[in-house]
Amino acid sequence: MSEHTKSLPEIDFVRHTLTQPGIEVEIWNYGGIINDIRVADRDGVMESVVLGLETVQEYQNHSPYFGAIVGRVAGRIGQARMEVEGTVYPLAANDGEHHLHGGIHGFDQALFEVMEMTETRLHLRYVSPDGAEGYPGTVTLDAIYQLDGLALTLTMEATTDQTTPLNLTNHTYWNLSGNLRRDILDHRLQVPSDTYLPVGEDLLPTGEVRDVTGTPLDFRTGRSIRSGAESGHPETTAAGNGYDHPFVLSGQAIRLEDPASGRFLEVTTDQPVVVLYTGTQLETNYTIRGVASRPSLGLCLETQVHPNAVKEVSFPDVLVRPDETYHWETTYRFGTDGS
């Protein structure tokens, strides 16, 4: 079912719901936002497992990228400037002196054209003009949401007419407890990662790659978010008693579990890094579907290439050239104990 709504002058947006037995996924063409996902707990009770708001106005006033497509470049670009093929480009500085998540008006605020809508598939397209937020080149982005059973796959492909950096992600905040009845500190997370990228006080990667062994960033066999958030370790205290760290993936699935509800989420991706952010900077001056926003109410699993890669020569190349097609794909599969 789709609903066409006018919530703000000159902004028409579409809410479209993908459905399969046991799952409902509401997506907006504003920001490509995954606004709601409802799945069952171990007792079969269908509840929301993401943080989402009710109107475009709420997103513009409060949202820290809830559910949105983030780009052109996810994460921070240091000093809000970059060099591409010998030309220096100043970018929008929207995080102190740095550029964050595509700038002041990134893809998270774009109105996407709806190309196709069915019960299990939504195809969105956005054309980002040359010079947007300081980036060179006109970029055409196609985002396809495909629901297959209890698995939602988001595929993004983009082309450009000038060399430009692209490093997209989806910025959904997960909370598997159901309708936000608990925070995520007692969620259990398993990440197949032997190394992480340490970040400085400004949350920019330092350029190093470190072993997770013996630190609260070792999620290889699974651990609770609380075990790290309350560890007193310098890495997690620097991130606000939580996590805001990129992990270099080594295969297999990322697995998030809520032991109390029995729900789990498995994330597979073609991207080399996942940024774990545990919502430590969530503000408290608004509500999310009737629940007061607060730190640790949700966590993000942002699959992408290494943050600040456009500035770090040791990180993978994120420049896309006119004869290339950018590709990003991540699947979110839901289940419960014993499934």
Side-chain angles (χ1 to χ4, degrees), residues 133-244:
E133 300 302 294
Y135 289 99
T138 298
V139 170
T140 300
L141 168 63
D142 286 277
I144 297 172
Y145 304 76
Q146 181 74 48
L147 191 57
D148 182 9
L150 294 177
L152 173 67
T153 298
L154 173 55
T155 303
M156 295 190 282
E157 292 194 339
T159 56
T160 178
D161 62 1
Q162 296 181 54
T163 301
T164 195
L166 287 173
N167 185 13
L168 308 182
T169 196
N170 173 267
H171 209 283
T172 295
Y173 285 70
W174 305 98
N175 183 323
L176 303 183
S177 69
N179 295 346
L180 308 182
R181 68 166 44 85
R182 295 178 297 276
D183 62 30
I184 50 80
L185 289 173
D186 292 317
H187 280 37
R188 184 174 177 82
L189 179 65
Q190 187 171 1
V191 181
S193 173
D194 299 323
T195 56
Y196 72 99
L197 309 178
V199 297
E201 291 182 0
D202 56 5
L203 298 177
L204 275 173
T206 64
E208 301 170 80
V209 178
R210 289 184 188 166
D211 192 328
V212 300
T213 303
T215 76
L217 290 94
D218 189 349
F219 286 93
R220 289 174 293 186
T221 60
R223 67 186 307 146
S224 72
I225 300 301
R226 186 184 300 278
S227 69
E230 298 180 355
S231 67
H233 191 278
E235 287 283 0
T236 52
T237 56
N241 294 321
Y243 295 91
D244 196 349

Side-chain angles (χ1 to χ4, degrees), residues 10-82:
E10 300 180 358
I11 296 182
D12 294 336
F13 74 96
V14 177
R15 305 173 188 247
H16 184 65
T17 301
L18 307 180
T19 60
Q20 288 275 271
I23 185 169
E24 299 171 352
V25 180
E26 183 188 284
I27 303 162
W28 292 9
N29 70 326
Y30 177 78
I33 289 168
I34 297 174
N35 187 60
D36 199 10
I37 299 178
R38 295 174 57 81
V39 294
D41 66 5
R42 64 163 62 90
D43 298 318
V45 178
M46 295 279 288
E47 293 173 311
S48 177
V49 293
V50 304
L51 278 61
L53 302 172
E54 298 302 318
T55 66
V56 170
Q57 187 71 63
E58 286 182 271
Y59 274 95
Q60 293 179 332
N61 290 344
H62 301 299
S63 175
Y65 307 94
F66 286 149
I69 292 173
V70 168
R72 294 185 188 187
V73 172
R76 293 165 178 83
I77 295 177
Q79 294 74 52
R81 58 195 299 109
M82 64 182 185

